[in-house]
Amino acid sequence: MGRCGVVGSQAGGAAYSSGVSGNPARWPVYELHRHFCSGLGDHLSEWPSPSDIMSKPLRLRAASPLPPRLIVYLFNATDHPSERRAGDYRIQLRLPGQRPRSRGTLESEPGSMLVLAGYIQEFDTFVMWDATAHSEFPYSKGVQVAARTVHEAAIDGVAEQIRLIRSAGVTEHVVAARTDHLVRALIRRHEITRDDLLLETQQYHSGRPSPRADSSQGELW
């Protein structure tokens, strides 16, 4: 299978044809996955098979400086009038076969990078949340990102945000990037996750609470 085209970025990226029909804000899973793979470029060591492209999660083999294996849960991210902040974007966490009122789990494997991401076609931008903070979730849980973060990523290539997960009372670090900066953003996302885990381990052994569980910061954008 050849590499697919990349949609044009409204932030100055080169324009390509995606070949996507229907609602441009909501792509089918295979188009989301193909576009993510295209963003990896030469850092994708092996193009997934047609059946793998259709599967969620998307399992990839990557080249340095990325981790060698990626497990990617990728969703359409759209704005919605019900959001607390007008213009914010969100994904809806629903897994294949998951039923209403049931709970889902993001699979993880030792030695792999777990990625929870959304794609905003309007700005050709991927958003990556803290997958460990959302590893278990109710059906159709919404996960948000600020509109400002998306806009900054569309303009500058990469943007970051700290937000409060209200349901858990913990903060998370969000990374957003245009497709042409996806590898850079994945490296940054991996660094943040690694540093958070190291800090939590240190806090655990010292008997002090983890700063990720400090909800006194409120909602940070």
Side-chain angles (χ1 to χ4, degrees), residues 79-95:
D79 56 351
H80 195 277
S82 67
E83 289 301 316
R84 291 188 299 271
R85 294 172 182 258
D88 284 1
Y89 292 84
R90 72 175 177 185
I91 58 174
Q92 299 292 126
L93 294 184
R94 292 194 295 262
L95 298 181

Side-chain angles (χ1 to χ4, degrees), residues 90-155:
R90 72 175 177 185
I91 58 174
Q92 299 292 126
L93 294 184
R94 292 194 295 262
L95 298 181
Q98 185 182 0
R99 295 181 178 273
R101 296 184 295 278
S102 68
R103 299 189 70 83
T105 302
L106 303 181
E107 301 176 15
S108 61
E109 297 176 357
S112 296
M113 177 181 179
L114 183 61
V115 180
L116 175 61
Y119 178 68
I120 303 165
Q121 186 274 344
E122 180 182 5
F123 296 103
D124 191 24
T125 296
F126 288 97
V127 180
M128 285 169 281
W129 289 270
D130 182 349
T132 58
H134 301 282
S135 59
E136 184 179 351
F137 51 89
Y139 178 83
S140 199
K141 174 187 177 182
V143 185
Q144 294 80 20
V145 63
R148 186 175 73 185
T149 306
V150 174
H151 299 161
E152 288 178 355
I155 295 169

Side-chain angles (χ1 to χ4, degrees), residues 4-221:
C4 67
V6 182
V7 296
S9 168
Q10 296 188 9
Y16 300 86
S17 172
S18 67
V20 177
S21 59
N23 184 351
R26 301 191 66 84
W27 283 7
V29 63
Y30 67 88
E31 286 291 354
L32 288 172
H33 288 171
R34 288 175 62 195
H35 192 55
F36 189 91
C37 290
S38 290
L40 295 183
D42 293 339
H43 291 87
L44 185 65
S45 61
E46 179 181 321
W47 189 271
S49 69
S51 60
D52 290 337
I53 283 285
M54 294 292 293
S55 300
K56 182 174 288 188
L58 175 64
R59 299 175 185 274
L60 299 174
R61 294 190 177 276
S64 180
L66 293 175
R69 291 181 295 170
L70 307 178
I71 301 176
V72 183
Y73 286 86
L74 179 57
F75 301 84
N76 288 287
T78 58
D79 56 351
H80 195 277
S82 67
E83 289 301 316
R84 291 188 299 271
R85 294 172 182 258
D88 284 1
Y89 292 84
R90 72 175 177 185
I91 58 174
Q92 299 292 126
L93 294 184
R94 292 194 295 262
L95 298 181
Q98 185 182 0
R99 295 181 178 273
R101 296 184 295 278
S102 68
R103 299 189 70 83
T105 302
L106 303 181
E107 301 176 15
S108 61
E109 297 176 357
S112 296
M113 177 181 179
L114 183 61
V115 180
L116 175 61
Y119 178 68
I120 303 165
Q121 186 274 344
E122 180 182 5
F123 296 103
D124 191 24
T125 296
F126 288 97
V127 180
M128 285 169 281
W129 289 270
D130 182 349
T132 58
H134 301 282
S135 59
E136 184 179 351
F137 51 89
Y139 178 83
S140 199
K141 174 187 177 182
V143 185
Q144 294 80 20
V145 63
R148 186 175 73 185
T149 306
V150 174
H151 299 161
E152 288 178 355
I155 295 169
D156 299 329
V158 176
E160 299 183 15
Q161 169 191 335
I162 299 175
R163 63 181 293 270
L164 173 67
I165 306 174
R166 293 178 180 273
S167 60
V170 300
T171 57
E172 70 170 328
H173 211 128
V174 184
V175 181
R178 286 199 319 264
T179 298
D180 57 339
H181 287 260
L182 178 58
V183 172
R184 174 184 163 198
L186 279 167
I187 294 170
R188 177 61 179 149
R189 174 71 266 173
H190 184 59
E191 290 173 347
I192 293 168
T193 301
R194 178 197 60 199
D195 292 347
D196 284 345
L197 290 174
L198 288 173
L199 181 59
E200 287 181 0
T201 300
Q202 293 170 358
Q203 296 289 348
Y204 174 80
H205 288 297
S206 67
R208 297 194 301 271
S210 168
R212 277 165 50 93
D214 179 9
S215 60
S216 64
Q217 299 180 66
E219 197 162 30
L220 306 177
W221 302 97

